[in-house]
Amino acid sequence: MIRDILIHPDPRLKKPCDPIAEVTAEISKLAADMLETMYEAPGIGLAAPQVGVMKRLIVMDCIKQGTPEPMALLNPEVIWSSEDQSTYEEGCLSIPDQYAEVKRPASVTVRWMDLTGAAQERQFEGLWATCVQHEIDHLNGKLFIDYLGPLKRQMITRKMEKLKREMARG
Ligand code: K1U
Ligand code: ZN
């Protein structure tokens, strides 16, 4: 089932999310819906608060061509970050058609629980590293525009307010 993606500004995109205690049928269905919603958008990642669910769940697939590699990460945590940084022009499905360069650690090690309830750990590099950090930020109520200066952030927010007014008019 495709879910609606919230558009910034929305108070739910600014709040920290709650940890997931166990994998239930509801969580498995949410993960499946989020992957379907992400592929349809299209995007390379999606976090639960973007579909209005305040739980610590993200999905990702950064394979642009070739065999898809869908991932669902519950309670993801960065446990190590490289000192070297990389800059990527990021976008966000909650801030459509707006892109800006964001500098983040080039490589991160993340620990999470998978959909079987097992603990997992992996080092991410390149676009995967950028994406996993962007998605974990969503779980903490942080957007990529929060890395920009106030003027640029305000300009993008005003554009999104206008877009939402136009969408509401139909
Ligand atoms: O979290 C999101 O809003 C999804 C976002 C993830 C992301 C993109 C770029 C850098 C970091 C994180 C997106 O997927 S925006 C769309 C996008 O990047 C894309 C869309 C189609 C093909 C390839 C990329
Ligand atoms: Zn985003």
Side-chain angles (χ1 to χ4, degrees):
M1 180 182 97
I2 308 274
R3 302 206 184 196
D4 289 338
I5 298 176
L6 300 180
I7 304 296
H8 166 74
D10 185 295
R12 289 165 288 184
L13 294 172
K14 298 303 296 173
K15 281 191 196 140
C17 294
D18 301 322
I20 296 171
E22 55 171 340
V23 183
T24 59
E26 186 198 344
I27 292 292
S28 299
K29 166 85 168 101
L30 173 62
D33 287 354
M34 283 171 57
L35 279 166
E36 198 181 339
T37 304
M38 178 192 82
Y39 285 124
E40 199 258 351
I44 55 170
L46 192 67
Q50 292 181 278
V51 293
V53 179
M54 304 309 289
K55 295 209 165 95
R56 301 190 77 82
L57 169 61
I58 66 174
V59 296
M60 304 192 291
D61 186 350
C62 295
I63 305 290
K64 288 183 180 166
Q65 280 180 341
T67 313
E69 208 181 297
M71 297 189 74
L73 290 72
L74 288 64
N75 304 327
E77 270 181 274
V78 174
I79 58 168
W80 175 83
S81 306
S82 64
E83 271 179 28
D84 52 309
Q85 307 254 307
S86 81
T87 302
Y88 191 85
E89 189 167 61
E90 297 192 14
C92 181
L93 296 175
S94 295
I95 311 177
D97 301 323
Q98 304 299 316
Y99 303 90
E101 288 194 341
V102 177
K103 198 192 267 189
R104 300 181 186 269
S107 171
V108 287
T109 303
V110 177
R111 184 181 291 155
W112 72 95
M113 179 166 72
D114 69 18
L115 285 172
T116 72
Q120 300 286 350
E121 209 172 287
R122 174 169 149 184
Q123 187 167 338
F124 291 95
E125 318 268 355
L127 182 56
W128 285 95
T130 298
C131 188
V132 75
Q133 292 175 80
H134 176 117
E135 301 309 332
I136 292 173
D137 274 353
H138 273 300
L139 303 182
N140 295 324
K142 190 164 183 173
L143 300 172
F144 83 89
I145 55 169
D146 295 325
Y147 292 92
L148 311 179
L151 282 180
K152 189 120 198 256
R153 187 166 60 242
Q154 198 174 60
M155 195 183 74
I156 292 177
T157 298
R158 291 211 173 116
K159 280 189 191 165
M160 292 300 105
E161 285 167 341
K162 184 164 177 270
L163 174 71
K164 285 178 81 170
R165 281 197 300 274
E166 286 163 3
M167 284 163 64
R169 267 191 245 119

